[in-house]
C-alpha cells in the first residue's frame, strides 16, 4: 500500500480519493475549502493543514483541479517562494482536464526535479468516480505509466496509455470535440426529422445501423424515449453537464488555434454550447442542446 | 415473376435493373442515353423506345433518377401532353434521392391515378447495387410496402419501412446529415490530435470505445492506416463521392429551411463540402474532406 | 392618373396603397382579410369583392404578399380554373419579397400573356411605406421599368433598376444577407470588447473610421448609447423585425443552395436568427441578436 | 528630439523607425537579423550590438515584434538572467499585435519598474508605415499617452486613445474581426448575386447605399472592377495579407474563449481564413477569400 497525496476534493476528487482509501492506501489530502476537508475526513482521507503537508511523504501525488492555472499554482513556480516538498521517487499524476500549454508546463516543472509525471484526465463523471469505473487517458513515459498503474486501477476500470507527456489531455479533448459536435448533429437530425413527420424511433433504428451511427445517438439520444438510460429521459439531470462540455470544447478550440488547425465545426460547437449555457442550462446534461432547436416558437 | 419498368440507367440504376433480371423478372427499361440502353440490353434488360413503352405493361415501375425535377418530368404533369401509360394496379417506386417537396409531388401525382406509390432511396453505393446489398429506406403506405417488398428484396439486403409517404427521403437525408457532420468532426479531431503529437491510432482506439465513437471514425476513418477497408487507404477512390454527400447535405439544408429547423452544423457541413468539391475533389470519397484541413501550408 | 389594382393589404401593402391614393390614383384592392378591406376603404382604397374584380380594369397591378406561393396563387395557374382577368397593356408589379424560383415563375406566367412584369421588393419598413420613402429594387425589362416608374415613385424615394427579371429579389436578399451577417459580427465584436473592458463608444469611434466600418455598426448599433436613432435604444421595438431578417436570410440560403454557392456565413446567420426567433424574440428588431451573446449567465 | 530605442525591424518596424529618423529623433535599434540591422543603418538608424545597448539610453522604447512571446522575451523575465536596462522615466510602447494575455503581462512587467507603458498596435500596413499614415490604437494611462503622442505622431496620422492598458489590442482585434467577417459576407453576397445573374456593379451600387453597406464592399470590394484602388484589381497583391487577417482573427478567437464570448461568426471566419491560407494564398490580400467560393468547379 502506498502513501498518496491528493490535491483537490471537488465533485470528482472526493470520490476518487475515497476509492484510494477503500483500496487500502494512506491518503493525505488538501483542498482550499475547509468544508471539503471535513467531508474528506469523514470519508477516511487524512486532511493536511496545507498543500505541502499533504504531499511531503507521498509516493504518489494526485491532483484533480478545475483549470491549468490551478495546476500550475500547485506544481509550477509558486508565488509564496516555497518549493512543493516532493519526495525523491514520487510519481506526480495530474488528473485535471486542462489546456495543453499548462499541461506541458506542469510536466516540465516537475520533471526538472527528476520526478516521473503523468497527465491523466478522466471520463466517466461523478458516478464513475464513485464506483471506480473511470476511464483514464494517460500521457507520459512508459516508466511513469507502469509505476502509476496500480494506483490508477483503484480509481478506474480502463486505463489507456495515450502516448508521451500531454497525450492524455489531447486524447480527451479530441474525443470530446467529436462527442460535442455529433451531439449537435444528432439533435439537428432528430429535430429535422420530427418537423418533417418522421418518427424519431424510425430514424434511431435506421441510423443506428447506418453511416449516421454514433454514440450520441445510439447510446445517449438527446430526445426522450429512444435510449432508456439517457439523461434526456430524466429532464437532462445528471450525465455530463453542458458547462463541462463547453469547457472541453473551448480547450479543443484553444488547442486548434495554437496548432493552426482550422476546426470550424469544433469552434461552432463551442459557440453553440456557449449560447446554450448562457440561457441558464449549463448544469443540464449536454444532450439538452437539442432544446436550442426546439424552444417555444413565439413567446 | 413480375413485369418491371425501370427508368434511369446510371451508375446505380443499371446494376439495380440487372439484379432484377437475375431474379427472373422481365425488365423493360428506358434512359435518355442510347449508350446506356445498349449496355442495359447487354445486361439482359429490354430497352424501350421511350419511357411510355418501358412502363406500359409493368406491374412495378421503378425510377432511379438524378433529381426531383427529373422524377416530376416522368411522373408529374408532362410537357408533351401525354399521360404516362401506367396499368391499373401498378406499384410505382421512386428510388431516387430527391428533395422533400418533389417527393411529395411525386406521390400526389401518381396517387391521383389510384396507384400505390413508394419513395425508396437507397444507401450502399454502386457496389451495393451490383451485389444486391443495398439498404432501402421506404416511405409510403403499408399496402404499397408489402406489395413492393419482393421486388425490393431482389435489389437490397435491408428494407426498412420508415413511415408514410416521404419518410424514406427524410430518413435518408437526416442520416446522411449526421454522417457528413461527423465525418468533418472526426477529420478535425484526427488532424488536431496529429498536430499536437497524438498518434492517430491511439485516438482511434480511445474514441472507438468512448463518447466520440461514430461510424465515420470506427468504420470509415478519414486518415489511412486505421480502418483497412476505408477509402482513405486507397487515395479516397470509390466509396461515397463527396459530390453525392454534398447533394444530400443540400437536400437536408433545404428541408431544414422549409421546416424552420435552425440546423447550423448541417448547413456548415454543406458549405464545407461545397468548397471541397469546388477544388476538384467532388469524385473522391467524402472522407477526403480531411484534406481541407491539411493542405500544403504554403505553395 | 392610373387605375391600380392592389393585392395584399398587410402592414406594408396598406400604407403603400394609401400613398397611391394620395397621389391621385384610383386604387381597387383585395385582401383575404375582411378587416383589412375595411381599413383600406377608410384609407380611400376601393375594396373589390375578390381578386379578379380588383384587377380587371387596372393599368397597373401591384401585389404585396407574404410568400412565393401566395404570389403564384394569384398570378400562376389557379386552382379555381379561372384566369386572372388582366387587361391588355397592364403592367404587373410584384413587390413581395419571395424566393427566386417563385419569382421566375411569376414573370414567366404573366409574360405568357404578353404583359410587362417587374419584381420590385422594397426596403424601408412600415415607416418608409407610410411616408413614401421606400427603396425599390426592381428587376425586369427597361420598358416595364420605364412604364412603372411613376407609380413606384408615388410609394418610394429611391427606385433602382437592378437588372432583368428577378434581379430585384436577388439584390434584396444579397444585401440583406450582408446586413444580417454584419449585424452578428458587430454584436460579437461589441460584446467581446465589453467583456475585455473596452468602452463600446471607443470601439464605435475607432471602427466607424476603419476597416470594420459597416451600416450595422455606424447607423444601427445593436447596443444602446451609440446611435441615438437605433432600435437598441428603445428596447429593440420597431425597426426591422428579426423574423423578417430570418425570412430573408432563408431566401438567400435557398438561393445559395440552388446556385451551388457555399455561403457558410450566410447559412450560419440564418441558423442563429432561427434560434433567436425561437426564444420568442422574432418581433424585436434584428439588432436584438446581440442578446444571444449576453443572456444571464446562470439561471 | 528624443533618444528612441527601436526593437524589431521587419516589414513594419523598419519604415516606422525610418520615419522617426526623418522626424529628427536619434534611433538606436536592434533585430536578431544581421541583414535587417544593415538595412537599418542604411536608413539612418543606429544598430545596437544587442537589445540592451539599443535601449539603455532611450527616452522611448518602441517594439514591433511578431508575437506575444517575442514581446515577453524582451520585456518579461529574461532567460539570460539580465534585466533590460531601461532608464528611469523611459516610456515603453509596444506596437506589436499580440494576444491580450501577453499584452497584460507586458504592461505588468514594465510597470513593476515604475515606467509608463502603452500597447499601440497599428493599422495601415507597410505603405502606411512608409508614409507615416498609420493609425495607432493605444491602450494605457493618460500620462503615458500624452508623453508618447509626439513620437507616435511621427509615425502615424491618427492616434486614438482606446482606453486603459490593453485597450489598444482589444480595439484592434475587435475591429479586424468585423472586417474579416464582413469581407466573407461580401464575398458570399457578390458570388451569390453573380451566380444568379445579378451584375456585381448593381449590387455594389445598391448595397453601398443600404443596410449592407460596409468598408469591405464600398472601399475594398473583393471582386475586380468595383473599387479601383482595391487589391482585387491587381490580383490580390499588396493590401493586408490573408495570413495577417488569420493571425488577428485567431487572437480575437482566443480572447473570445478567454472571456466566455460565444463569437460563432468570428470563429468561423478564422477557420475559413485558416483553410484559405493552407491552399497557399496566405500572402494574397485578405479579399482573396472570395476565391474559396469560386474555384474551378471540377479539375
Amino acid at each position: 500500500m502506498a502513501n498518496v497525496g491528493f490535491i483537490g476534493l471537488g465533485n470528482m476528487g472526493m470520490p476518487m480519493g475515497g476509492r484510494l482509501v477503500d483500496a487500502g492506501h494512506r491518503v493525505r489530502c488538501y483542498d482550499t475549502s475547509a468544508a471539503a476537508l471535513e467531508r474528506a475526513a469523514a470519508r477516511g482521507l487524512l486532511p493536511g493543514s496545507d498543500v505541502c503537508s499533504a504531499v511531503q511523504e507521498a509516493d504518489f501525488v494526485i491532483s484533480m483541479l478545475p483549470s491549468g492555472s490551478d495546476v500550475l499554482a500547485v506544481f509550477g513556480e509558486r508565488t509564496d517562494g516555497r518549493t512543493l516538498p516532493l519526495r525523491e521517487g514520487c510519481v506526480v499524476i495530474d488528473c485535471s482536464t486542462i489546456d495543453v500549454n499548462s499541461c506541458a508546463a506542469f510536466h516540465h516543472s516537475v520533471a526538472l526535479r527528476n520526478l516521473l509525471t503523468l497527465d491523466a484526465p478522466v471520463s466517466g463523471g461523478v458516478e464513475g468516480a464513485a464506483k471506480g469505473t473511470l476511464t483514464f487517458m494517460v500521457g507520459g513515459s512508459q516508466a511513469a505509466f507502469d509505476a502509476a498503474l496500480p494506483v490508477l486501477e483503484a480509481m478506474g476500470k480502463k486505463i489507456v496509455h495515450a502516448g508521451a507527456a500531454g497525450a492524455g489531455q489531447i486524447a480527451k479533448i479530441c474525443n470530446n470535440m467529436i462527442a460535442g459536435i455529433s451531439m449537435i448533429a444528432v439533435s439537428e437530425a432528430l429535430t429535422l426529422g420530427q418537423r418533417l413527420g418522421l418518427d424519431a424511433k424510425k430514424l434511431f433504428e435506421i441510423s443506428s445501423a447506418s453511416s449516421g451511427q454514433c454514440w450520441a445517438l445510439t447510446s445517449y439520444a438527446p430526445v426522450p424515449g429512444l435510449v432508456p438510460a439517457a439523461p434526456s429521459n430524466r429532464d437532462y439531470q445528471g450525465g455530463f453537464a453542458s458547462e463541462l462540455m463547453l469547457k472541453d470544447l473551448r480547450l479543443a478550440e484553444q488547442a486548434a488555434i495554437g496548432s493552426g488547425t482550422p476546426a470550424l465545426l469544433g469552434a461552432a460547437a463551442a459557440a453553440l454550447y456557449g449560447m446554450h449555457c448562457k440561457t441558464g442550462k449549463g448544469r443540464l446534461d449536454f444532450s439538452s442542446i437539442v432544446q436550442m432547436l426546439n424552444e417555444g416558437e413565439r413567446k
Side-chain angles (χ1 to χ4, degrees), chain A:
Chain A
M1 293 303 97
N3 281 313
V4 177
F6 203 105
I7 304 166
L9 301 164
N11 292 334
M12 291 296 291
M14 184 75 77
M16 289 167 71
R19 294 290 307 178
L20 290 169
V21 170
D22 295 346
H25 298 295
R26 186 167 176 277
V27 186
R28 286 204 161 272
C29 64
Y30 185 68
D31 193 283
T32 53
S33 152
L37 287 171
E38 267 183 54
R39 283 194 300 274
R43 181 69 178 82
L45 290 85
L46 309 168
S49 55
D50 61 10
V51 67
C52 293
S53 67
V55 304
Q56 62 198 359
E57 295 172 20
D59 306 309
F60 298 92
V61 168
I62 301 176
S63 52
M64 191 60 170
L65 295 162
S67 76
S69 57
D70 296 313
V71 171
L72 293 181
V74 171
F75 297 106
E77 202 167 344
R78 296 169 61 83
T79 50
D80 62 6
R82 293 178 64 183
T83 303
L84 197 67
L86 298 170
R87 286 181 52 183
E88 199 183 318
C90 167
V91 179
V92 181
I93 309 163
D94 178 40
C95 296
S96 320
T97 295
I98 62 175
D99 63 286
V100 293
N101 290 339
S102 297
C103 181
F106 153 75
H107 281 285
H108 180 72
S109 265
V110 180
L112 286 176
R113 301 169 68 174
N114 280 316
L115 300 176
L116 295 173
T117 52
L118 293 174
D119 55 289
V122 305
S123 69
V126 171
E127 195 182 311
K131 295 187 177 169
T133 57
L134 295 171
T135 293
F136 284 85
M137 289 154 275
V138 186
S141 68
Q142 189 65 45
F145 183 79
D146 293 345
L149 195 54
V151 172
L152 294 176
E153 285 176 339
M155 298 181 286
K157 199 170 63 177
K158 188 170 174 185
I159 323 289
V160 186
H161 190 191
Q169 297 293 349
I170 300 163
K172 181 168 182 189
I173 61 176
C174 287
N175 178 76
N176 283 15
M177 186 172 76
I178 303 176
I181 296 171
S182 54
M183 181 56 79
I184 301 173
V186 166
S187 297
E188 292 183 359
L190 285 167
T191 304
L192 176 58
Q194 287 178 310
R195 294 264 169 88
L196 296 171
L198 180 64
D199 185 346
K201 285 186 176 145
K202 278 294 171 184
L203 181 56
F204 178 80
E205 175 195 335
I206 289 169
S207 287
S208 292
S210 184
S211 55
Q213 186 278 329
C214 58
W215 182 91
L217 176 69
T218 315
S219 304
Y220 213 80
V223 300
L226 300 177
V227 176
S232 54
N233 290 301
R234 42 180 204 271
D235 288 332
Y236 306 100
Q237 300 299 314
F240 184 60
S242 293
E243 61 193 10
L244 293 177
M245 176 51 84
L246 174 58
K247 177 191 169 186
D248 290 358
L249 287 169
R250 284 179 173 160
L251 292 174
E253 191 181 0
Q254 277 183 313
I257 298 171
S259 63
T261 309
L264 197 149
L265 294 196
L272 290 170
Y273 272 101
M275 289 185 269
H276 183 56
C277 290
K278 281 194 188 299
T279 65
K281 298 186 173 164
R283 291 191 176 164
L284 297 184
D285 177 71
F286 80 112
S287 61
S288 64
I289 192 82
V290 73
Q291 297 181 340
M292 276 194 89
L293 305 167
N294 258 328
E295 292 183 270
E297 297 282 326
R298 177 76 54 77
K299 278 175 194 166

